[in-house]
Amino acid sequence: MADKHQKNQQQKLAFMEETKSEALKSSQQGNESAIARHKPESSTTTEQLMEEILKRENLIQALKRVKENKGSPGIDQMKVEQLPVYLKENWLEIRKLLLEGKYKPQPVKRVEIDKPDGGKRKLGIPTVMDRFIQQALLQVLQKQWDATFSPNSYGFRPRRSAHQAIEQAQKYIKEGYEIVVDIDLEKFFDRVNHDLLMSKIAKRVEDKRVLKLIRGFLNAGVMENGLISITEEGTPQGGPLSPLLSNLMLDELDKELEKRGHKFCRFADDCNIYVKSEKAGQRVMESISKFITQKLKLKVNSAKSAVGKPKDRKFLGYSFSSKASGVKKRIAPKAIEKFKQKVRELTKRTTRISLKSMLYRLTLYIRGWKAYFHLCQTPSVLKDLDSWIRRRIRSFIWTSWKTIPNRHKQLVKLGVNNKLALTTARSHKGSWPLSQSKAVLVATPTAYFKSLGLPQLAA
């Protein structure tokens, strides 16, 4: 009887393994075995959207993306690695709740991260299970909605990037639109009006189960310091669905700017409009701010929004300089200062880590930063940063050598003559001044850092 009952149960399970070989079975056991199998369906109507979302192929892709993105646990403390097993054991019931429109998302976990310009940014971390369902929702809705969005919107969209937005902004400036209306939305993700957002979604989605599910994610609440509070506005940053909903919310702004014939670039809640005169800029700032306040029920941050020259404003970490040679992309001063601050932390002389460990962490950061800021057209800035980084490392190395005998020994080993090495090793100056001394420069030339694998920004 037990074997028969087990066999019947297995026939009911939605999670089944599909393999063509033992190797494939081993590699996909945590993924495909966790997803419900569905029969091929005909083209779905919007009333059948939930069935589209719950298709096996879509769920497998969603699970893959959640695992790739990793991330911290939500309020239930479940880790990403535990999700496949949890799905295998519980998916039948979860799927039933979703199909019946009865699934209830859990509150998000509130965390705060530092913002580049000071202050804190609040993130809401959904549970891993909720992230999985949001990802499945995102994949279907984004395919349906993305083509309707403005070509001037670049944030969180397939095959679109911040680099494209920066390149387009440069083109506008080259065309003579040399004044920028820089609009900053105050706490956008915290202040999105739920009713207004849901009305926009309802114009695109007829499936009431999907509408109820999205509303559930918006109203799930926030847990902070052990207490749960209700969320009546906002789309918490941290979940996969939030960027898509933000683009939908601001699509009305994009359409309004297009209707007025403006040249603009928007990346999430960062919007720059390009005009030809200061007077036109002030007029646009006033009218668009009014539109945002009245139509979108959002607030423009007057302290951070301004009309000015592109060289005096920053857009996605870049600014633009206009000279006789043309319009050049450059790294905004705040971005450079943030970079230096991070490098200082990584090369701090008081940390008890080896040179190898320090260089490993520093190299990872430099490579990532360089990948983003490689559009920079002011190589002298990058050369100066390279020189400054080498000096930071020289100072770190000098401190790590610690004693006079060892400093003398290391300098001689690296090619410094005995007399100069001994004089420098006995110096009472600090590591920062000595990092520019003749002996240290001879011992650690640029080629030395190349041998250590340190990437060059100006290369």
Side-chain angles (χ1 to χ4, degrees), residues 109-387:
K109 181 172 70 175
R110 173 73 78 207
V111 296
E112 293 184 341
I113 61 172
D114 294 328
K115 295 174 70 173
D117 54 353
K120 299 285 184 179
R121 174 177 283 116
K122 293 183 178 181
L123 299 182
I125 308 300
T127 63
V128 176
M129 185 68 229
D130 283 346
R131 293 211 293 271
F132 168 63
I133 295 173
Q134 282 194 35
Q135 181 64 38
L137 261 171
L138 169 68
Q139 289 166 183
V140 173
L141 295 180
Q142 191 161 54
K143 285 180 183 177
Q144 296 183 359
W145 297 358
D146 192 72
T148 70
F149 291 156
S150 168
N152 297 292
S153 167
Y154 294 89
F156 309 111
R157 297 180 60 189
R159 297 172 296 280
R160 300 182 77 77
S161 67
H163 287 163
Q164 292 173 339
I166 293 158
E167 296 278 16
Q168 184 59 59
Q170 185 182 33
K171 289 179 183 177
Y172 288 146
I173 299 167
K174 285 181 177 179
E175 290 170 4
Y177 297 87
E178 297 180 340
I179 298 294
V180 59
V181 182
D182 186 358
I183 295 177
D184 182 272
L185 299 179
E186 188 172 302
K187 297 182 179 179
F188 167 72
F189 287 94
D190 297 329
R191 291 186 171 169
V192 170
N193 183 286
H194 286 180
D195 292 335
L196 185 57
L197 175 58
M198 287 306 303
S199 71
K200 293 179 183 298
I201 298 172
K203 291 177 182 178
R204 297 169 179 253
V205 173
E206 294 180 30
D207 193 324
K208 289 182 172 56
R209 298 166 299 176
V210 175
L211 292 172
K212 185 177 179 181
L213 180 61
I214 295 174
R215 172 71 83 165
F217 281 121
L218 293 175
N219 294 343
V222 173
M223 177 175 281
E224 194 169 12
N225 299 321
L227 299 174
I228 296 177
S229 57
I230 298 172
T231 46
E232 297 179 346
E233 61 179 5
T235 59
Q237 289 177 272
L241 196 57
S242 184
L244 178 64
L245 297 183
S246 71
N247 274 332
L248 177 63
M249 188 69 185
L250 292 174
D251 186 57
E252 188 174 351
L253 171 62
D254 297 339
K255 297 298 192 289
E256 180 66 20
L257 292 171
E258 288 174 350
K259 187 173 74 173
R260 298 185 187 189
H262 288 309
K263 310 290 185 182
F264 72 98
C265 297
R266 183 178 66 78
F267 192 97
D269 58 338
D270 198 347
C271 184
N272 275 9
I273 306 166
Y274 296 88
V275 297
K276 290 190 173 182
S277 70
E278 177 81 19
K279 186 177 180 180
Q282 295 296 344
R283 185 176 66 250
V284 170
M285 174 65 82
E286 183 179 352
S287 62
I288 293 301
S289 295
K290 186 177 180 181
F291 175 85
I292 290 170
T293 302
Q294 295 181 352
K295 293 287 186 178
L296 302 182
K297 310 300 181 186
L298 296 168
K299 186 177 180 181
V300 174
N301 188 330
S302 57
K304 294 185 178 180
S305 301
V307 176
K309 293 279 188 181
K311 67 181 179 65
D312 298 322
R313 308 300 300 171
K314 68 179 179 69
F315 182 51
L316 303 176
Y318 282 82
S319 60
F320 304 89
S321 59
S322 298
K323 297 181 179 179
S325 57
V327 178
K328 303 289 186 182
K329 294 184 291 289
R330 65 177 190 177
I331 305 169
K334 283 187 177 181
I336 291 176
E337 184 50 44
K338 182 184 176 185
F339 172 78
K340 284 190 165 186
Q341 183 179 342
K342 182 64 177 179
V343 172
R344 288 187 188 100
E345 292 174 7
L346 293 171
T347 59
K348 193 178 295 183
R349 296 182 291 277
T350 56
T351 54
R352 295 184 178 180
I353 60 172
S354 66
L355 174 64
K356 183 178 179 181
S357 296
M358 184 274 287
L359 283 173
Y360 175 75
R361 298 175 188 177
L362 180 63
T363 296
L364 287 179
Y365 178 68
I366 290 175
R367 283 177 179 165
W369 194 85
K370 181 179 179 180
Y372 183 78
F373 285 105
H374 75 271
L375 297 180
C376 170
Q377 295 173 307
T378 52
S380 61
V381 173
L382 299 180
K383 289 178 181 178
D384 288 344
L385 286 175
D386 278 331
S387 178

Side-chain angles (χ1 to χ4, degrees), residues 347 355 358-359 362 388-398 448-449 452 454:
T347 59
L355 174 64
M358 184 274 287
L359 283 173
L362 180 63
W388 177 78
I389 292 168
R390 288 193 293 270
R391 187 175 180 186
R392 291 287 308 179
I393 299 173
R394 288 184 179 111
S395 183
F396 180 95
I397 291 171
W398 185 259
Y448 171 78
F449 294 98
L452 295 176
L454 182 72

Side-chain angles (χ1 to χ4, degrees), residues 6-202:
Q6 184 178 10
K7 184 177 181 181
N8 289 335
Q9 286 296 102
Q10 289 174 340
Q11 290 175 341
K12 294 178 183 178
L13 285 176
F15 293 91
M16 299 179 68
E17 297 178 3
E18 180 181 37
T19 60
K20 294 182 180 180
S21 67
E22 284 301 315
L24 184 59
K25 180 179 179 181
S26 175
S27 66
Q28 294 183 337
Q29 187 173 6
N31 295 341
E32 294 189 1
S33 64
I35 305 301
R37 184 188 299 277
H38 297 282
K39 293 180 180 180
E41 296 179 302
S42 57
S43 59
T44 59
T45 64
T46 51
E47 290 92 340
Q48 297 173 315
L49 188 59
M50 184 62 81
E51 283 75 11
E52 183 78 11
I53 291 164
L54 297 179
K55 276 187 176 180
R56 181 173 177 274
E57 295 78 8
N58 187 53
L59 296 174
I60 289 173
Q61 182 62 27
L63 181 59
K64 181 181 177 183
R65 290 301 300 273
V66 169
K67 292 175 73 175
E68 287 174 350
N69 293 336
K70 299 180 181 179
S72 304
I75 64 169
D76 63 354
Q77 297 304 309
M78 184 192 297
K79 298 179 180 179
V80 172
E81 304 82 54
Q82 298 171 291
L83 181 58
V85 174
Y86 180 83
L87 286 171
K88 190 171 184 179
E89 295 172 352
N90 297 279
W91 179 245
L92 191 63
E93 179 60 26
I94 294 169
R95 181 174 181 272
K96 182 180 179 220
L97 291 172
L98 288 164
L99 288 171
E100 293 175 354
K102 295 179 180 178
Y103 181 85
K104 291 186 177 180
Q106 296 189 62
V108 299
K109 181 172 70 175
R110 173 73 78 207
V111 296
E112 293 184 341
I113 61 172
D114 294 328
K115 295 174 70 173
D117 54 353
K120 299 285 184 179
R121 174 177 283 116
K122 293 183 178 181
L123 299 182
I125 308 300
T127 63
V128 176
M129 185 68 229
D130 283 346
R131 293 211 293 271
F132 168 63
I133 295 173
Q134 282 194 35
Q135 181 64 38
L137 261 171
L138 169 68
Q139 289 166 183
V140 173
L141 295 180
Q142 191 161 54
K143 285 180 183 177
Q144 296 183 359
W145 297 358
D146 192 72
T148 70
F149 291 156
S150 168
N152 297 292
S153 167
Y154 294 89
F156 309 111
R157 297 180 60 189
R159 297 172 296 280
R160 300 182 77 77
S161 67
H163 287 163
Q164 292 173 339
I166 293 158
E167 296 278 16
Q168 184 59 59
Q170 185 182 33
K171 289 179 183 177
Y172 288 146
I173 299 167
K174 285 181 177 179
E175 290 170 4
Y177 297 87
E178 297 180 340
I179 298 294
V180 59
V181 182
D182 186 358
I183 295 177
D184 182 272
L185 299 179
E186 188 172 302
K187 297 182 179 179
F188 167 72
F189 287 94
D190 297 329
R191 291 186 171 169
V192 170
N193 183 286
H194 286 180
D195 292 335
L196 185 57
L197 175 58
M198 287 306 303
S199 71
K200 293 179 183 298
I201 298 172

Side-chain angles (χ1 to χ4, degrees), residues 427-439:
S427 173
H428 295 294
K429 293 181 180 178
S431 60
W432 186 246
L434 285 173
S435 64
Q436 289 288 78
S437 67
K438 182 179 179 181

